[in-house]
Every structure is written in C-alpha cells, then in structure tokens.
Amino acid sequence: MKFMLISALLSVGHLNATNWSNWRGEEGAGVAREASPPGKVSSSQLWKAPLPGRGCSTPVVWEDLIVVTCVIHGKDGVLAYDQKGKEVWRHAFGKAAGVRHENAGSGCNPSALTDGKHIYVYFKSGTLAAVTMEGKEVWKRNLHQEYSPDGLKWDLGTSPIFAGGNVVVALLHNENPSFLLAFDKLSGKEVWKTPRDYDAPAEAQDAYTTPFVTEIDGVETIVTWGCDHLSGHDAKTGEELWKHGDFNPQQKKNWRVIASAVETKGIAIVPFGRGDHVAGVKLGGRGDTTGKNRLWTHKGIGSDSSTPVAKDGKFYVLNDKGPNRGMVTCLDAQTGKKEWQSKFPRSAAIYYASPLIAGDKIYAGRSDGVLFCGTITPKGLTDVVESDLEDTMIASPVAVGSKLFVRTHESLWCFE
C-alpha cells in the first residue's frame, strides 16, 4: 500500500473520497476508485469558469475548494473556486517565467498540493510557496536562486509532493546540480538536501517527472525517475537507499523524460526512450539494483508525456504520440504480459494529459480538446465516447464523487 494512503488514514481517520489533493490523486497513481463521473461530458456540463491566464497544471480538490495555478497579470498565481464554479479567492506572487513550448508549456505547469490546512505551489520561476486555505501567503522561497538555476530545455513540469511530513521537490536538470529537497510545511525552512546527479548525456539529465511515495520494507521511500535512473530515497533523511539504471544503453543525448513512474504491488512502471519503451522494476533492495530488479522491458509500448495509471497489479499505458497514439495497453505488473490493447480514434493531435481511471472507466484528454472515455473490461475498452471541448487540453482530468473536473487553456470545467 502506498505510504501516502497510510499517512492519510492516520491524519484524518479515513480516506476522504471527496478530495483530490495532488497531481495524481490520493493513491498517487491516477485512480479515483469510488468516483462515478459521466462518460459523455458534452451533455453533462454543470459549469464552466473562465481562467485569467495560461496554466497547464491539473486541478486539486479539497472539500468545497477547487484549486488551480495560472498566470495572473504576468505573475505566478493560484486561484480557488467553489463547487458551483464561483471564484473564491486568488493570490499572485512574483513575475511569471517565460514559456518555451507555446502549445504545451506555461510558467504554471506544476500542480498544487494540499493537506487541507495549507496549499503548496511551485512555478517555473523557481518560486515554491505556501498559502492558507483562504489564500493568505504563509511563506515563499525561490529554489532556482537558492539551489540551482533552471537548466531545463523546456518548461518545468515536476509537482511538489508530501514525504516524511515535509514538502518535497525534485530539481532535476541538465548542466546545473540536481537535488531532492525537503522543506518544513509550516515554515518553509530546509529540512534536508540530497544531491541527485548521475552520469547521463546532455538533456538526458532533464526530467519533468514527479516522484511518488511508497512504503518499501517498512521504510517510507521517495521514488524518483530521471537522469536515466530510478532511485529510492529515505523520506525522513533524503538518504539514497537504492538506484536502478540501464535505461539508456546507447547513451543517447536527448532522452529527457516527461512521463512519471508509478507503482502497484511493489513494482514500478518506468516510461523511457521518448515514448517508445516501458520497463517494470521491482522496488527495494540496497545499492545498485540494475542487474537484479528489472522484471521486463517493452519496446513499441510507451508514453512520452502521459504518465501511466497503476491499479490492482495492472498498468494502463497511453501511447501519446507517433503512429500508435491513442493506443491504450493494459500490462500485468509482475510479468509485463499484454492483457489487452484498445485504441481511441486517431487524429493528428497528440496527448499531453495523463489518463485517469474513475470506477470502471478510463478518461484521456487529447491536446485538441477532445476527451475520450471508455469502459474497462477484461478484454479491452468498450463504449468509447468522445466529447469535444474546443480548447487546448494539456492538464489531466480529475474525478471526485460524481463530478469530473477538466482544465483547458481558457477555462475550468465541471461535469456531473
């Protein structure tokens, strides 16, 4: 079981099915087990709220609040809406960073993070900050000024996470030093700093991924993917426990990674090779586990930008570009066996958003604004429907209860 779920049980007494507190949800794997949102959203729109500026972050939901980050009058910003689509508050920080990817980028790509007491936000400018649930600033610091300048070729993508009772951020990029950093939730003070630099070619050191947290052999562990290595670090101290490499045997210079690793049943799926490979890695061990913990590797199945979904010993991988874009592959986590493959209707547009599983349905948002929904069966997807929102869609959809929240370039949508 993921450690974040255990932490949630201890802190609030039960898992709150009405919350989606971080980029990939309460399980950290893109799964909303108890949600029952609509399949065909074009006929179930509850409300649509305009956004003041560009942002590609996924909404987070805590009880009545829906929180997104976006540019507000040229500044890094965070906004909160209520469940009726009314803006409750907004807060702006310093000047927003410029954009390198005109379609899929913004200075507000990382998703917010909340524990119901504070909201934590991170921006391409390097600003990491905390605000109250009412939007009042608590603390702020700039990681690029204090630790390492932005060395990414494209726009920052990693979102903050909770680990060891702290806020943790992965700073993984080319040329400049890379770190895992932990900060006190209430004060923003550094708790620990761990260098994370491995030998890798230029740009292969760039990572736009978000770590996940899980319990391995009784230890709360931060699992991070980037710089041609999957690594495990002690969440309390930042100490490296193990590392796993051999994801770039030909030492290609441009194998940066965008899609994150996710885990089920103690096995991580690692997307690599610019969308053309995935590997299954057994988590745990000590030291270099490269030669013993690789369970399987596939070529021709993969995702470049879209992080797979992990659920109950299965991985669901969305091919997001190339000739097989729109293909969904269900893999057995232990063996790597292809359980089934189904394909959404083809288009010239590619996918940046990560898929979502809510109940027995899988949702996938394409960059041209088309949202697909299909019912998962043992033999593949059935009852596939598509809804066109007619606006660029980069952020991943979120399901809470009977509602589906979708963020496009210009609007925040709610369907029920």
Side-chain angles (χ1 to χ4, degrees), residues 20 23-24 58-59 353-356 363-365 371 393 395-399 404-407:
W20 186 279
W23 172 51
R24 293 301 274 160
T58 289
S354 299
L356 160 76
Y363 296 80
L371 182 69
M393 190 188 311
S396 307
V398 168
L404 185 77
F405 297 96
V406 179
R407 191 255 181 85

PDB file of all heavy atoms in Angstrom, residues 20 23-24 58-59 353-356 363-365 371 393 395-399 404-407:
ATOM      1  N   TRP A  20      -9.065  15.362  -3.943  1.00  0.00           N
ATOM      2  CA  TRP A  20      -8.006  15.009  -4.900  1.00  0.00           C
ATOM      3  C   TRP A  20      -6.897  16.013  -4.614  1.00  0.00           C
ATOM      4  O   TRP A  20      -6.865  17.099  -5.152  1.00  0.00           O
ATOM      5  CB  TRP A  20      -8.532  15.116  -6.333  1.00  0.00           C
ATOM      6  CG  TRP A  20      -7.579  14.640  -7.386  1.00  0.00           C
ATOM      7  CD1 TRP A  20      -6.531  15.331  -7.931  1.00  0.00           C
ATOM      8  CD2 TRP A  20      -7.582  13.358  -8.035  1.00  0.00           C
ATOM      9  NE1 TRP A  20      -5.889  14.568  -8.866  1.00  0.00           N
ATOM     10  CE2 TRP A  20      -6.515  13.353  -8.954  1.00  0.00           C
ATOM     11  CE3 TRP A  20      -8.384  12.228  -7.921  1.00  0.00           C
ATOM     12  CZ2 TRP A  20      -6.226  12.252  -9.775  1.00  0.00           C
ATOM     13  CZ3 TRP A  20      -8.105  11.142  -8.729  1.00  0.00           C
ATOM     14  CH2 TRP A  20      -7.044  11.154  -9.647  1.00  0.00           C
ATOM     15  N   TRP A  23      -1.356  16.117  -7.786  1.00  0.00           N
ATOM     16  CA  TRP A  23      -1.438  15.912  -9.226  1.00  0.00           C
ATOM     17  C   TRP A  23      -2.089  14.585  -9.628  1.00  0.00           C
ATOM     18  O   TRP A  23      -2.973  14.552 -10.469  1.00  0.00           O
ATOM     19  CB  TRP A  23      -0.021  15.995  -9.832  1.00  0.00           C
ATOM     20  CG  TRP A  23       0.034  15.623 -11.269  1.00  0.00           C
ATOM     21  CD1 TRP A  23      -0.748  16.116 -12.278  1.00  0.00           C
ATOM     22  CD2 TRP A  23       0.897  14.663 -11.879  1.00  0.00           C
ATOM     23  NE1 TRP A  23      -0.410  15.524 -13.482  1.00  0.00           N
ATOM     24  CE2 TRP A  23       0.600  14.627 -13.255  1.00  0.00           C
ATOM     25  CE3 TRP A  23       1.909  13.844 -11.389  1.00  0.00           C
ATOM     26  CZ2 TRP A  23       1.276  13.800 -14.151  1.00  0.00           C
ATOM     27  CZ3 TRP A  23       2.592  13.025 -12.283  1.00  0.00           C
ATOM     28  CH2 TRP A  23       2.268  13.003 -13.639  1.00  0.00           C
ATOM     29  N   ARG A  24      -1.716  13.477  -9.004  1.00  0.00           N
ATOM     30  CA  ARG A  24      -2.232  12.167  -9.410  1.00  0.00           C
ATOM     31  C   ARG A  24      -3.211  11.564  -8.426  1.00  0.00           C
ATOM     32  O   ARG A  24      -3.504  10.367  -8.483  1.00  0.00           O
ATOM     33  CB  ARG A  24      -1.068  11.192  -9.660  1.00  0.00           C
ATOM     34  CG  ARG A  24      -0.210  11.554 -10.847  1.00  0.00           C
ATOM     35  CD  ARG A  24      -1.004  11.610 -12.138  1.00  0.00           C
ATOM     36  NE  ARG A  24      -1.130  10.313 -12.775  1.00  0.00           N
ATOM     37  CZ  ARG A  24      -2.050  10.011 -13.678  1.00  0.00           C
ATOM     38  NH1 ARG A  24      -2.955  10.909 -14.020  1.00  0.00           N
ATOM     39  NH2 ARG A  24      -2.083   8.810 -14.229  1.00  0.00           N
ATOM     40  N   THR A  58      -2.897  20.534 -13.285  1.00  0.00           N
ATOM     41  CA  THR A  58      -4.151  19.822 -13.033  1.00  0.00           C
ATOM     42  C   THR A  58      -4.830  20.407 -11.790  1.00  0.00           C
ATOM     43  O   THR A  58      -4.153  20.759 -10.825  1.00  0.00           O
ATOM     44  CB  THR A  58      -3.845  18.327 -12.835  1.00  0.00           C
ATOM     45  OG1 THR A  58      -3.460  17.772 -14.092  1.00  0.00           O
ATOM     46  CG2 THR A  58      -5.034  17.570 -12.291  1.00  0.00           C
ATOM     47  N   PRO A  59      -6.158  20.511 -11.772  1.00  0.00           N
ATOM     48  CA  PRO A  59      -6.849  20.995 -10.570  1.00  0.00           C
ATOM     49  C   PRO A  59      -6.630  20.045  -9.390  1.00  0.00           C
ATOM     50  O   PRO A  59      -6.472  18.832  -9.578  1.00  0.00           O
ATOM     51  CB  PRO A  59      -8.327  21.007 -10.978  1.00  0.00           C
ATOM     52  CG  PRO A  59      -8.333  20.941 -12.463  1.00  0.00           C
ATOM     53  CD  PRO A  59      -7.098  20.201 -12.867  1.00  0.00           C
ATOM     54  N   ALA A 353      -1.890  15.246 -21.595  1.00  0.00           N
ATOM     55  CA  ALA A 353      -2.527  14.922 -20.318  1.00  0.00           C
ATOM     56  C   ALA A 353      -2.359  13.440 -19.996  1.00  0.00           C
ATOM     57  O   ALA A 353      -2.298  12.593 -20.886  1.00  0.00           O
ATOM     58  CB  ALA A 353      -4.010  15.277 -20.380  1.00  0.00           C
ATOM     59  N   SER A 354      -2.286  13.140 -18.711  1.00  0.00           N
ATOM     60  CA  SER A 354      -2.196  11.752 -18.266  1.00  0.00           C
ATOM     61  C   SER A 354      -3.600  11.176 -18.083  1.00  0.00           C
ATOM     62  O   SER A 354      -4.516  11.889 -17.667  1.00  0.00           O
ATOM     63  CB  SER A 354      -1.435  11.674 -16.939  1.00  0.00           C
ATOM     64  OG  SER A 354      -0.123  12.164 -17.093  1.00  0.00           O
ATOM     65  N   PRO A 355      -3.782   9.893 -18.405  1.00  0.00           N
ATOM     66  CA  PRO A 355      -5.110   9.287 -18.277  1.00  0.00           C
ATOM     67  C   PRO A 355      -5.538   9.137 -16.820  1.00  0.00           C
ATOM     68  O   PRO A 355      -4.717   9.150 -15.899  1.00  0.00           O
ATOM     69  CB  PRO A 355      -4.941   7.922 -18.957  1.00  0.00           C
ATOM     70  CG  PRO A 355      -3.479   7.633 -18.878  1.00  0.00           C
ATOM     71  CD  PRO A 355      -2.789   8.954 -18.938  1.00  0.00           C
ATOM     72  N   LEU A 356      -6.831   8.982 -16.638  1.00  0.00           N
ATOM     73  CA  LEU A 356      -7.460   8.843 -15.323  1.00  0.00           C
ATOM     74  C   LEU A 356      -8.366   7.624 -15.335  1.00  0.00           C
ATOM     75  O   LEU A 356      -9.089   7.402 -16.310  1.00  0.00           O
ATOM     76  CB  LEU A 356      -8.280  10.097 -15.013  1.00  0.00           C
ATOM     77  CG  LEU A 356      -9.378   9.997 -13.946  1.00  0.00           C
ATOM     78  CD1 LEU A 356      -8.747   9.996 -12.552  1.00  0.00           C
ATOM     79  CD2 LEU A 356     -10.384  11.138 -14.086  1.00  0.00           C
ATOM     80  N   TYR A 363     -10.364   7.786 -18.699  1.00  0.00           N
ATOM     81  CA  TYR A 363     -10.508   9.056 -19.406  1.00  0.00           C
ATOM     82  C   TYR A 363      -9.147   9.475 -19.947  1.00  0.00           C
ATOM     83  O   TYR A 363      -8.122   9.307 -19.271  1.00  0.00           O
ATOM     84  CB  TYR A 363     -11.029  10.147 -18.471  1.00  0.00           C
ATOM     85  CG  TYR A 363     -12.419   9.900 -17.942  1.00  0.00           C
ATOM     86  CD1 TYR A 363     -12.635   9.031 -16.870  1.00  0.00           C
ATOM     87  CD2 TYR A 363     -13.518  10.536 -18.502  1.00  0.00           C
ATOM     88  CE1 TYR A 363     -13.907   8.801 -16.381  1.00  0.00           C
ATOM     89  CE2 TYR A 363     -14.813  10.320 -18.007  1.00  0.00           C
ATOM     90  CZ  TYR A 363     -14.993   9.450 -16.953  1.00  0.00           C
ATOM     91  OH  TYR A 363     -16.258   9.219 -16.462  1.00  0.00           O
ATOM     92  N   ALA A 364      -9.148  10.039 -21.152  1.00  0.00           N
ATOM     93  CA  ALA A 364      -7.911  10.520 -21.758  1.00  0.00           C
ATOM     94  C   ALA A 364      -8.205  11.802 -22.524  1.00  0.00           C
ATOM     95  O   ALA A 364      -9.105  11.832 -23.371  1.00  0.00           O
ATOM     96  CB  ALA A 364      -7.317   9.468 -22.690  1.00  0.00           C
ATOM     97  N   GLY A 365      -7.465  12.851 -22.221  1.00  0.00           N
ATOM     98  CA  GLY A 365      -7.667  14.138 -22.873  1.00  0.00           C
ATOM     99  C   GLY A 365      -6.623  14.390 -23.943  1.00  0.00           C
ATOM    100  O   GLY A 365      -5.421  14.308 -23.680  1.00  0.00           O
ATOM    101  N   LEU A 371     -11.965  14.855 -25.316  1.00  0.00           N
ATOM    102  CA  LEU A 371     -11.857  13.994 -24.141  1.00  0.00           C
ATOM    103  C   LEU A 371     -12.526  12.660 -24.441  1.00  0.00           C
ATOM    104  O   LEU A 371     -13.702  12.604 -24.804  1.00  0.00           O
ATOM    105  CB  LEU A 371     -12.527  14.655 -22.940  1.00  0.00           C
ATOM    106  CG  LEU A 371     -12.459  13.886 -21.620  1.00  0.00           C
ATOM    107  CD1 LEU A 371     -11.032  13.846 -21.094  1.00  0.00           C
ATOM    108  CD2 LEU A 371     -13.388  14.507 -20.579  1.00  0.00           C
ATOM    109  N   MET A 393      -6.158  21.209 -24.475  1.00  0.00           N
ATOM    110  CA  MET A 393      -6.199  20.465 -23.214  1.00  0.00           C
ATOM    111  C   MET A 393      -4.834  19.833 -22.964  1.00  0.00           C
ATOM    112  O   MET A 393      -4.405  18.950 -23.690  1.00  0.00           O
ATOM    113  CB  MET A 393      -7.282  19.376 -23.278  1.00  0.00           C
ATOM    114  CG  MET A 393      -7.565  18.699 -21.947  1.00  0.00           C
ATOM    115  SD  MET A 393      -8.668  17.261 -22.086  1.00  0.00           S
ATOM    116  CE  MET A 393     -10.005  17.935 -23.073  1.00  0.00           C
ATOM    117  N   ALA A 395      -3.731  19.702 -19.266  1.00  0.00           N
ATOM    118  CA  ALA A 395      -3.862  19.201 -17.895  1.00  0.00           C
ATOM    119  C   ALA A 395      -4.656  17.903 -17.846  1.00  0.00           C
ATOM    120  O   ALA A 395      -5.554  17.672 -18.664  1.00  0.00           O
ATOM    121  CB  ALA A 395      -4.531  20.255 -17.013  1.00  0.00           C
ATOM    122  N   SER A 396      -4.336  17.064 -16.867  1.00  0.00           N
ATOM    123  CA  SER A 396      -5.023  15.784 -16.703  1.00  0.00           C
ATOM    124  C   SER A 396      -6.381  15.974 -16.047  1.00  0.00           C
ATOM    125  O   SER A 396      -6.532  16.824 -15.168  1.00  0.00           O
ATOM    126  CB  SER A 396      -4.168  14.845 -15.849  1.00  0.00           C
ATOM    127  OG  SER A 396      -2.859  14.729 -16.371  1.00  0.00           O
ATOM    128  N   PRO A 397      -7.388  15.196 -16.440  1.00  0.00           N
ATOM    129  CA  PRO A 397      -8.712  15.288 -15.804  1.00  0.00           C
ATOM    130  C   PRO A 397      -8.687  14.736 -14.387  1.00  0.00           C
ATOM    131  O   PRO A 397      -7.838  13.913 -14.036  1.00  0.00           O
ATOM    132  CB  PRO A 397      -9.598  14.440 -16.727  1.00  0.00           C
ATOM    133  CG  PRO A 397      -8.653  13.465 -17.358  1.00  0.00           C
ATOM    134  CD  PRO A 397      -7.352  14.190 -17.514  1.00  0.00           C
ATOM    135  N   VAL A 398      -9.641  15.185 -13.575  1.00  0.00           N
ATOM    136  CA  VAL A 398      -9.742  14.795 -12.168  1.00  0.00           C
ATOM    137  C   VAL A 398     -11.177  14.382 -11.874  1.00  0.00           C
ATOM    138  O   VAL A 398     -12.124  15.075 -12.273  1.00  0.00           O
ATOM    139  CB  VAL A 398      -9.349  15.976 -11.259  1.00  0.00           C
ATOM    140  CG1 VAL A 398      -9.729  15.695  -9.814  1.00  0.00           C
ATOM    141  CG2 VAL A 398      -7.856  16.257 -11.369  1.00  0.00           C
ATOM    142  N   ALA A 399     -11.358  13.269 -11.164  1.00  0.00           N
ATOM    143  CA  ALA A 399     -12.698  12.797 -10.794  1.00  0.00           C
ATOM    144  C   ALA A 399     -12.841  12.775  -9.287  1.00  0.00           C
ATOM    145  O   ALA A 399     -11.993  12.215  -8.575  1.00  0.00           O
ATOM    146  CB  ALA A 399     -12.947  11.406 -11.364  1.00  0.00           C
ATOM    147  N   LEU A 404     -16.538  15.406 -12.677  1.00  0.00           N
ATOM    148  CA  LEU A 404     -15.295  15.367 -13.434  1.00  0.00           C
ATOM    149  C   LEU A 404     -14.852  16.800 -13.658  1.00  0.00           C
ATOM    150  O   LEU A 404     -15.617  17.629 -14.164  1.00  0.00           O
ATOM    151  CB  LEU A 404     -15.501  14.667 -14.787  1.00  0.00           C
ATOM    152  CG  LEU A 404     -14.238  14.466 -15.623  1.00  0.00           C
ATOM    153  CD1 LEU A 404     -13.410  13.301 -15.064  1.00  0.00           C
ATOM    154  CD2 LEU A 404     -14.601  14.186 -17.085  1.00  0.00           C
ATOM    155  N   PHE A 405     -13.611  17.111 -13.263  1.00  0.00           N
ATOM    156  CA  PHE A 405     -13.057  18.449 -13.452  1.00  0.00           C
ATOM    157  C   PHE A 405     -12.008  18.402 -14.548  1.00  0.00           C
ATOM    158  O   PHE A 405     -11.110  17.552 -14.523  1.00  0.00           O
ATOM    159  CB  PHE A 405     -12.438  18.959 -12.153  1.00  0.00           C
ATOM    160  CG  PHE A 405     -13.427  19.112 -11.024  1.00  0.00           C
ATOM    161  CD1 PHE A 405     -13.576  18.103 -10.077  1.00  0.00           C
ATOM    162  CD2 PHE A 405     -14.219  20.244 -10.927  1.00  0.00           C
ATOM    163  CE1 PHE A 405     -14.486  18.228  -9.040  1.00  0.00           C
ATOM    164  CE2 PHE A 405     -15.140  20.386  -9.895  1.00  0.00           C
ATOM    165  CZ  PHE A 405     -15.267  19.375  -8.957  1.00  0.00           C
ATOM    166  N   VAL A 406     -12.136  19.322 -15.492  1.00  0.00           N
ATOM    167  CA  VAL A 406     -11.213  19.386 -16.627  1.00  0.00           C
ATOM    168  C   VAL A 406     -10.726  20.814 -16.772  1.00  0.00           C
ATOM    169  O   VAL A 406     -11.524  21.762 -16.759  1.00  0.00           O
ATOM    170  CB  VAL A 406     -11.888  18.922 -17.935  1.00  0.00           C
ATOM    171  CG1 VAL A 406     -10.920  19.030 -19.097  1.00  0.00           C
ATOM    172  CG2 VAL A 406     -12.401  17.488 -17.792  1.00  0.00           C
ATOM    173  N   ARG A 407      -9.431  20.955 -16.919  1.00  0.00           N
ATOM    174  CA  ARG A 407      -8.842  22.276 -17.088  1.00  0.00           C
ATOM    175  C   ARG A 407      -8.287  22.402 -18.512  1.00  0.00           C
ATOM    176  O   ARG A 407      -7.457  21.604 -18.937  1.00  0.00           O
ATOM    177  CB  ARG A 407      -7.713  22.456 -16.073  1.00  0.00           C
ATOM    178  CG  ARG A 407      -7.206  23.886 -15.966  1.00  0.00           C
ATOM    179  CD  ARG A 407      -5.870  24.066 -16.637  1.00  0.00           C
ATOM    180  NE  ARG A 407      -5.411  25.431 -16.493  1.00  0.00           N
ATOM    181  CZ  ARG A 407      -4.739  25.890 -15.434  1.00  0.00           C
ATOM    182  NH1 ARG A 407      -4.429  25.071 -14.463  1.00  0.00           N
ATOM    183  NH2 ARG A 407      -4.366  27.159 -15.402  1.00  0.00           N
TER     184      ARG A 407
END
